[in-house]
Amino acid sequence: MMKAKKEKTKMSSAPEGETRCKQADDAVFRTTPDGIMILVPEEGTVHLLDEVGSRIWDICSEPVSASQIADVIQSEYEVDGTRVQRDVDGFLQRLLEMGALVEVV
Amino acid sequence: LQFPVQIAGFSVNVECQDRGLANYLSRELENYEGGDGGDATARISLEFVEQNHDLQSENSNVTLIRHPFGPDILLDARSNPESLEVHARVIGAGEEITSYPEELYSFLATQLFTLLLQHLESNGKAHVLLVHACGAASEGKGFLFAGASGSGKSTVAARLKKMPSVTLLGDELIALAQHGEGGEVQMYSFPVVSDISRAEISNIGVPLEAIFFLSPGEATSCIRADTAHAAADLLGVLIPPVSAGPADVGLGEKQFAGSMELLMDEAVKLSATVPCFHLSLSLDDEPWDRILHDEGQKGENQDE
């Protein structure tokens, strides 16, 4: 598992024109000491987020772009930037499909 | 007919006006008889109606249940401070029904007991949950072996009942009750069994020591589950509350989400309170001494 640095990174501002997303108002989720559970009513399933996924979910409490999230994760977990961006894009896409995140204009 | 029974640590007076259902209940509740009926009264009546004359829309307490193995049932359940009143109307749909099958009595009994737990909860008697699980007690400690149908609950029950040190509480549904905020979670037998006979279970209450999520495996392994995975697995085995509204088949998406939200809260709380394990069980192994003693101990130590 990737180790996070102790301090949380301050968010950079979103590049102009980049789509931002945030937690859907009707998203149903619960926090446990080991991660976050998100309910997908349409599928009748629950998705578990690991430590990094839970951190991204936390960041998405406010409108935020994929590159802003990737910057935070790269900084906090000291991982390769290209891979982080790809992983964050895929993760956000999945949560958007589930209806847990919504795009913000 | 009326008789007092002990369910989930409560003494309940059960009253039934239908002779067939009453006979079924008194037989099924043989192990549960006792007490003074002082905690609640549960009344159930049964009536045949030729058609569903829109009874459902007249009354928000009525739920239409499309019973998969028999006629549809309109269940009218009212929880008053003094008593739980359940009135079941069996819908004939043009056909006269002269006798009811055993499955219908079994289904109604399960509904009645489930509603009874909710009634006790809504009257502040205790916080009660139902879990799909086999339950066993050993040395005064309770162990849940939880899983969906086909996960091995009955297999575990069949093997545990051979152990002299183990008392079986059930192989299908187990009640969990918390008496008072922050109190110990007690597990109790619930009067619904699958493959074992009534005579093989004991109606006792023991503190819940550990929860094992069952899965079949090539080799036996028992791994401590983190709280997130434990909560997610609990969601799959906790019984959702019976729909109180005029729902038709199943729950609508909003009701489902509301019901699941309540269960998510329960699952998160329970996973943080009780040590949970993923138990993969090979049919060739008899790992019970290790599981009921060492793993329980491990749970205790990790919690300290």
Side-chain angles (χ1 to χ4, degrees):
Chain A
M1 186 192 287
M2 288 190 283
K3 280 245 183 230
K5 287 196 288 190
K6 276 186 181 162
E7 281 182 19
K8 296 205 165 158
T9 310
K10 242 181 143 182
M11 191 85 62
S12 58
S13 51
E16 208 169 304
E18 195 178 355
T19 308
R20 293 184 302 161
C21 55
K22 68 181 273 289
Q23 292 171 9
D25 289 341
D26 58 355
V28 177
F29 66 97
R30 294 293 184 274
T31 304
T32 79
D34 297 307
I36 283 170
M37 286 197 298
I38 299 180
L39 176 70
V40 188
E42 294 82 0
E43 295 175 5
T45 55
V46 163
H47 286 255
L48 288 183
L49 306 185
D50 63 8
E51 184 186 335
V52 181
S54 298
R55 176 70 181 117
I56 295 175
W57 179 254
D58 186 35
I59 295 168
C60 290
S61 59
E62 300 290 334
V64 64
S65 73
S67 62
Q68 283 177 295
I69 296 171
D71 285 348
V72 172
I73 298 301
Q74 191 183 348
S75 162
E76 290 184 3
Y77 292 88
E78 295 173 329
V79 281
D80 171 62
T82 317
R83 187 177 158 197
V84 168
Q85 188 65 61
R86 195 177 60 228
D87 288 351
V88 167
D89 287 343
F91 180 79
L92 294 181
Q93 189 56 42
R94 178 72 189 110
L95 290 187
L96 284 164
E97 285 166 5
M98 280 161 46
L101 291 180
V102 289
E103 287 185 343
V104 179
V105 180
Chain B
L1 279 175
Q2 59 175 327
F3 45 93
V5 293
Q6 293 270 4
I7 294 179
F10 296 101
S11 183
V12 180
N13 202 35
V14 175
E15 296 180 16
C16 179
Q17 56 75 246
D18 181 86
R19 183 159 294 277
L21 180 58
N23 286 340
Y24 178 86
L25 286 173
S26 63
R27 197 174 67 235
E28 294 298 296
L29 291 170
E30 204 176 5
N31 285 6
Y32 297 81
E33 279 180 17
D36 59 2
D39 288 316
T41 294
R43 289 191 191 92
I44 183 161
S45 55
L46 186 57
E47 176 192 15
F48 172 80
V49 291
E50 283 194 355
Q51 281 183 334
N52 174 12
H53 290 293
D54 214 15
L55 292 161
Q56 196 185 351
S57 58
E58 287 171 12
N59 192 330
S60 63
N61 291 317
V62 176
T63 305
L64 175 65
I65 297 165
R66 297 206 183 278
H67 187 228
F69 309 113
D72 292 347
I73 298 163
L74 278 165
L75 204 64
D76 186 346
R78 290 154 200 262
S79 177
N80 308 313
E82 308 79 37
S83 62
L84 168 71
E85 309 284 341
V86 179
H87 184 59
R89 291 185 182 94
V90 180
I91 304 168
E95 285 178 37
E96 177 73 25
I97 298 175
T98 50
S99 64
Y100 301 120
E102 186 98 340
E103 289 81 8
L104 186 127
Y105 290 144
S106 161
F107 178 78
L108 285 177
T110 305
Q111 294 288 321
L112 175 68
F113 304 143
T114 309
L115 286 163
L116 178 60
L117 294 189
Q118 289 180 9
H119 170 71
L120 290 164
E121 167 120 27
S122 64
N123 281 288
K125 296 283 185 186
H127 182 49
V128 195
L129 279 174
L130 266 185
V131 193
H132 268 299
C134 159
S138 176
E139 296 175 358
K141 295 174 180 176
F143 300 89
L144 273 186
F145 297 88
S149 297
S151 62
K153 297 190 295 292
S154 295
T155 307
V156 169
R159 292 162 73 177
L160 284 174
K161 74 183 182 189
K162 294 179 191 157
M163 295 184 67
S165 63
V166 172
T167 305
L168 216 50
L169 276 72
D171 70 343
E172 183 64 20
L173 291 176
I174 295 292
L176 302 180
Q178 197 174 22
H179 302 267
E181 185 65 36
E184 206 169 32
V185 179
Q186 294 272 324
M187 64 182 253
Y188 294 92
S189 172
F190 189 72
V192 173
V193 290
S194 178
D195 291 339
I196 53 173
S197 73
R198 289 261 173 262
E200 290 170 316
I201 62 166
S202 297
N203 183 23
I204 55 169
V206 281
L208 178 58
E209 183 74 11
I211 300 172
F212 299 91
F213 299 109
L214 291 173
S215 63
E218 297 277 306
T220 298
S221 69
C222 186
I223 298 162
R224 178 83 186 243
D226 67 41
T227 51
H229 283 86
D233 283 341
L234 278 167
L235 271 180
V237 293
L238 293 173
I239 309 288
V242 176
S243 165
D248 205 31
V249 187
L251 296 174
E253 206 174 277
K254 268 193 178 164
Q255 285 171 301
F256 172 76
S259 164
M260 285 298 286
E261 279 200 68
L262 291 176
L263 285 189
M264 284 171 92
D265 289 334
E266 300 293 356
V268 169
K269 263 193 279 179
L270 199 54
S271 67
T273 313
V274 181
C276 297
F277 301 86
H278 288 126
L279 175 60
S280 176
L281 202 55
S282 159
L283 289 175
D284 301 327
D285 283 340
E286 292 292 348
W288 310 112
D289 277 334
R290 177 164 63 83
I291 286 170
L292 299 183
H293 296 111
D294 301 351
E295 299 300 346
Q297 287 294 321
K298 203 195 287 180
E300 277 175 15
N301 294 339
Q302 285 186 10
D303 279 354
E304 276 167 10

